[in-house]
Amino acid sequence: MALEDRNSLPDEPCVYLAIDKDNSVLYVGMSDNLRQKWKSHPKLEALSRLEGVKISYIRTEAELLRKLENALIKVFKPPLNLTEAPKKGIAALREKIGLTQKQLGDLVGVDTSTIRNWEYGKGSETFAKVARLCKVLECDIEDLFEEEAV
């Protein structure tokens, strides 16, 4: 169901997934009362800024909540389940100049989910290789490309 419809969630034990418009799992959680949990969810503000977020849930016995939640986190590795957002690298640089992930994605020409993945280290091996290439060649990144490509 759409994030905006969260008041219609069941008031019973559930494990839930917050899913973006591209069907990527952003967050996995659990609650004894799902509707109550989403009245003041700690990730609500962050998720509300994203377009097309949905909440999917699985009703389960209360004693199975933790086990199911942990299994789903292991499978999906959702970025918002990290205990703390990265404070260095792309996220810190983006926040320093006051851009959202969407704004940065639009400027760079990639999807918001790509920016999010970069901020959480997915694909960072490419950045590390380019940095090493620049160090070995004793150049700036701009020197690697023709002017039109940058």
Side-chain angles (χ1 to χ4, degrees):
M1 88 173 33
L3 182 63
E4 299 80 37
D5 298 330
R6 64 189 176 278
N7 289 334
S8 300
L9 290 166
D11 57 355
E12 55 191 289
C14 294
V15 172
Y16 58 89
L17 299 89
I19 302 168
D20 70 11
K21 66 178 175 142
D22 300 319
N23 291 319
S24 295
V25 176
L26 302 173
Y27 186 78
V28 173
M30 65 166 201
S31 178
D32 289 325
N33 183 326
L34 190 56
R35 184 180 316 141
Q36 187 66 35
K37 176 77 171 188
W38 278 95
K39 286 184 179 182
S40 60
H41 195 282
K43 302 294 182 186
L44 182 57
E45 185 181 336
L47 291 168
S48 295
R49 285 185 253 144
L50 301 174
E51 189 179 317
V53 173
K54 302 172 288 231
I55 302 170
S56 183
Y57 58 90
I58 304 165
R59 290 180 176 102
T60 188
E61 302 295 322
E63 56 272 2
L64 296 177
L65 287 171
R66 178 73 59 201
K67 195 173 206 174
L68 182 54
E69 178 194 40
N70 287 338
L72 290 171
I73 290 170
K74 254 185 174 173
V75 169
F76 292 109
K77 298 176 181 51
L80 294 179
N81 279 90
L82 298 176
T83 55
E84 191 175 304
K87 296 298 179 194
K88 59 181 183 174
I90 296 170
L93 294 168
R94 173 183 57 76
E95 290 171 3
K96 183 178 177 183
I97 61 173
L99 292 176
T100 65
Q101 289 177 331
K102 180 174 180 5
Q103 290 168 330
L104 180 58
D106 289 346
L107 290 169
V108 176
V110 298
D111 194 66
T112 304
S113 61
T114 300
I115 298 295
R116 184 174 52 250
N117 286 337
W118 289 349
E119 289 184 1
Y120 286 97
K122 294 179 184 172
S124 61
E125 65 278 351
T126 301
F127 295 127
K129 288 176 184 174
V130 170
R132 282 195 302 274
L133 182 61
C134 289
K135 187 174 184 176
V136 168
L137 296 176
E138 298 177 0
C139 68
D140 292 323
I141 193 165
E142 293 85 8
D143 298 330
L144 300 175
F145 305 98
E146 295 180 21
E147 192 169 323
E148 300 88 42
V150 175

